[in-house]
Amino acid sequence: MDVMRLFGSHFGTYEVRHTEAGEVSLAPFAPDPQPSDLGLGFTEMLEHPLRVARPAIRSGWLERRDRDGRGTDDYVEVDWDTALDLLAEELTEVRAKHGNRAIFGGSYGWASAGRFHHAPSQLKRFLNLFGGFTSSVHTYSFGSGAVILPHIFGKDFSDAYAVAPTWDQIAGNTDVVLSFGGMRLSNAEVESGGCGRHETPAWLQSLGRPGKKLIVFAPQDMDLPEGVNGEWVGIRPNTDCAVLLAIACEILRAGHEDRDFIEGFTFGFAEYRAYLLGETDGVVKDADWAGRLSGVPSETIRALAAMFRTGRVLINIAWSIQRADNGEMAYWAAAALAAITGQIGLPGGGLCIGLMAVNSIGRNVPRLAGPAVPQGRNPVSDFIPVARIADLLLRESESIHYDGRDLDVPRIELVYWCGGNPFHHHQDLNRLRRAFWQPRTVVVHEMAWTATARHADIVLPAALPLERDDLAVSSRDNWIVASRRAAPPFAEARSDHEIFAGLAGRLGLREGFTEDRSEMDWVRHLYEGYREANPSIPEFDAFWEAGYVEVPQPPVGRNPFADFRAGERSALATESGRIQLFSKTLAERDDPGFPGHPAWVEPREWLGASRAQRFPLHLLSPQPASRLHSQLDLATASQSSKIDGFEPVTMHPADAETRGLSDGDIVRVFNDRGACLAGLRLDPGLVPQVVSQATGAWYRPEDIGGFEALDVGGNPNTLTHDKGTSRLSGGPSANSCLVEIEAYRGPRPERDWRAPVRGGA
Ligand SMILES: Nc1nc2c(c(=O)[nH]1)N[C@H]1C(S)=C(S)[C@@H](COP(=O)(O)OP(=O)(O)OC[C@H]3O[C@@H](n4cnc5c(=O)[nH]c(N)nc54)[C@H](O)[C@@H]3O)O[C@H]1N2
Ligand SMILES: Nc1nc2c(c(=O)[nH]1)N[C@H]1C(S)=C(S)[C@@H](COP(=O)(O)OP(=O)(O)OC[C@H]3O[C@@H](n4cnc5c(=O)[nH]c(N)nc54)[C@H](O)[C@@H]3O)O[C@H]1N2
Ligand SMILES: [Mo]
C-alpha cells in the first residue's frame, strides 16, 4: 500500500506532495466533499521572510532590562544555548523573588491542529512541573456564554456543543430556523483540531427544501447563506435581546405559551412574565418597543410570535452575539423563548448555539474519546476570565469580578505566551500595549514576527505544523489524521516540545517533562490512548501508513434535552433542577444592570448611546473569510482580499455619501481609543450606520501622517473597548464598538516584510 502523506490543520486535511525540486505543495483531501482552499496557504509560510529564524532577544531588555521598548525595539539574535540559559535563569529568579503566581501562563490561542504539539498544552505541562502559574478560564469565542448557560441549564449544558441538536434532526424535523447572528459558510470551514470532511455545506442545503425556511436577523446580509430558502432581517447590532423578549411578550399576550412545559420544566415564570408585561418597570416589552430599539418592523416580530404555534422552530443564536456588552442577556432571552414555546427537547426544535460557527456544531459525533498531552496539576489557584488580561497586568483595581466572586489580582512579573496572539485577539490593543509594559519579562514562542512577538523580550522560533509529526484530531470529529512532517524546520526553529525539553533540562525537569519519550514515541503513545478508547481502530503502524482512520459515528442524532423532557422533571444541575427563567442566585447578587431574569440591559456602546453623536458608526469585527484569525494573513488568499494592501472595511453607500467617501478610498477608522487604516468597500447589504471589518490583520502602530500609533495593519481591536461583557462573566465584548471614519490623505506606510532583527535578516 502506498504511504498516504497528510497534513492536518484547523481548515481540515490536505494531501502533501513534493515536487521534483523537493518543494512541498498541498492538495485537497480526496474524501472531503468541500475542502477549504485556505489551508493551502500554509506552504507559503515555510520560507516566509517574516519567519522567526533564530532565538532573538529584545535589545532594550538585553542591555538595560527596560520595559517600554516593547513594541518598538529591534532584536539581537543569539544561539539556542544562550537563549535557553538566559530564560532558565530568568524563570528561576522570578520564581525565587515573587513566587509562581507571578508567572502568567494562560496563553490563550488557537495554535495549530495536532494533538501532541498543541502549544499551550506543552507550555502548561512545562510550567506545572516548574511549580505552576496564574492561568485563565474560558475562551474569546464563548467567554460569556460559558458563564450564563450553567445558570440557565446547569453545568452539563455549559457549552454550545452540549446544547446543539444534530443536522439530521434539523433536516428531518425543523420547519423554521430562526437565527440571530450570522450563519456564514466561511466560518464553518474551520474546526479547532481539524476535520476529515466538511459536512456543513451539504446539510445546509437541506434548508433549501420545500416547506423549510431560514430567517436570519443580522446587521449584514452576508450572514444569510446562499442556496437556502432564506430571509434576511436587518437588525441594529446588540439589540437581539430586545427582539427575543418581544417575541416572548407577544406570545404571552396572545396566551400562546406552552403551559404544560412551563409548569413541568421551568422555574421562575412569574418573574419573567411580570417583566415582559411591564409589571416590574412599567414598560411592556412588546413588538413596538423592540421595533424602536432594533429597527426591526414590529409586524415582523408579531409574525414570528405566531409562527411558533404552527411549526417546529429552532432558535439559533450566534456566538458573536455574546461577544458584546451584556451579551449574556440575549442568550438567556433566547433560551427562555425556546422554553416557553415548549420546543426544547423536541427533535430539531428549541435552542441551538452557533450553528455553522465551526464545522462541528450539529455534527452527530459524540465526543471522540482520546487523550491530550497530560498537563499535570497547577499548584497555583489564581486565575482570570481570559479576556481580563490587561486588567490583570495593569492592576488598576484590587480584584476582578467573576461569577459572584472577587478574584485576587496577583502582580505578574513574567508573561509566557505559546500558541496564541493577544495582539490580534484582545480588545483595545493600545491599552494592551500599556499592560505589556508592566511585567519584567515577556516570553513568546512564534513561527512568525507577529505583533505579539514584537512585544516580547525573548522570542523563540517555533516550527510550523508542516515541519513536525503529529496526530491531528478534534474531539468533535470522527477522523484521526497522521499529520506528517513535510519539511525540516525553517532555519533554527524547533518544536515547542523540543524548546521546553531544553529548558526543562536546565532546570532539572527534563525527565519529568519528556518521560523519556521521543516526539514520535509521544505521537504513538497518544494514538494508543485513542485505541484504548476506540478499540476498533487499527494499530499505530498501520494507521501511520494509511494516513487516517475514520471512527464510525452513530447513524442518527438526538436532541440533547430529549432525556430531560422525557424523564425526571427536576434533573438539571440548576438551582431548581429545571430551566431557570429566573435565578435567585443572580437576583441576590444585585449586579448593577443584571437582574435575575432575561432583560434588556442597554449596551455601553450601540447606536442608541449618546456616544453615537461623536462616533456614529457601529463597528462589527466578524471572523475573516480569508484566513484563521491572524493566521495566514501573510498568505495569498488573505493578501489578495486587501484593498491596495489595506484591510477592507465595509460601509453602506448612504453613509459613504454623507462623508464624501467612495469605494476603494483609504480611510482612517477611529474613536477615542485608537485608530487604524483600512480600504473602503461599499456594501448596500449593511444596515445603515453599521460598518464591518474582519479580525486578523496584523497590528502595526506607526507615527505617520501626523497621527500617533496609527495602526497601518488594520486590526479592528485598535478600536474595540476592553470592558467585560458584564460583571457576571467579564467576557470579551468586541462587537459593542462605536467609531467614525474619514478619508486618509497622509503618506502611505511601507509594507514591512522584514524581521525586526538588528543588522537585518
Ligand atoms: N475584535 C474582535 N476580536 C476578536 C474576535 C472578534 O470577533 N472580534 N474573536 C475572538 C475569538 S472568537 C478568538 S478565538 C480569538 C483568536 O485569537 P488567537 O487564537 O490568538 O488567534 P490566532 O491568529 O489563531 O493566533 C494563534 C497564534 O499562534 C501561533 N501558532 C500556531 N501554531 C503554533 C505552534 O504550534 N506553536 C507556537 N508557538 N505558536 C503557534 C500562530 O502563528 C498565531 O500567531 O480572537 C478573538 N478576537
Ligand atoms: N474562516 C474562518 N472561520 C472561522 C474563524 C476564522 O477566523 N476564519 N474563526 C472561528 C472562531 S475562533 C469562532 S469563535 C467562530 C465564531 O463564530 P461567530 O461568532 O458566529 O462568527 P462572527 O463572524 O464573529 O459573527 C457572525 C456574524 O454575526 C453578526 N453579528 C455581529 N454582531 C451582531 C449582533 O449584535 N446581532 C446580530 N444579529 N448579528 C451580529 C455579524 O454580522 C457576523 O457576520 O468562527 C470560527 N470560524
Ligand atoms: Mo473563537
Side-chain angles (χ1 to χ4, degrees), residues 108 110 139-142 319 323 623 629:
Y108 179 76
W110 266 55
T139 60
Y140 278 73
S141 314
F142 205 61
W319 298 354
R323 242 178 275 121
Q623 311 303 311
H629 320 127

Side-chain angles (χ1 to χ4, degrees), residues 112 117 447 463-470 483-485 496:
S112 294
H117 289 291
M447 291 131 179
L464 269 187
L466 272 171
E467 297 163 350
R468 58 202 191 198
D469 289 315
D470 213 334
S483 185
R484 280 169 174 254
R485 170 167 158 153
D496 298 293

Side-chain angles (χ1 to χ4, degrees), residues 53 179 232 252 263 271 294 322 336 342 349 356 361 384 394 462 465 474 491 517 522 552 666 675 712 731 757:
S179 183
W232 170 61
L252 295 184
E263 249 172 55
E271 285 86 350
S294 65
Q322 48 88 61
M356 288 171 61
I361 297 283
I384 52 163
L394 286 166
S474 157
R517 290 192 186 98
W522 270 103
I666 304 311
V712 300
V757 172

Side-chain angles (χ1 to χ4, degrees), residues 232-254:
W232 170 61
V233 183
I235 183 172
R236 213 168 273 152
N238 297 187
T239 63
D240 306 79
C241 181
V243 172
L244 285 154
L245 294 170
I247 298 173
C249 177
E250 296 293 345
I251 287 173
L252 295 184
R253 294 216 303 183

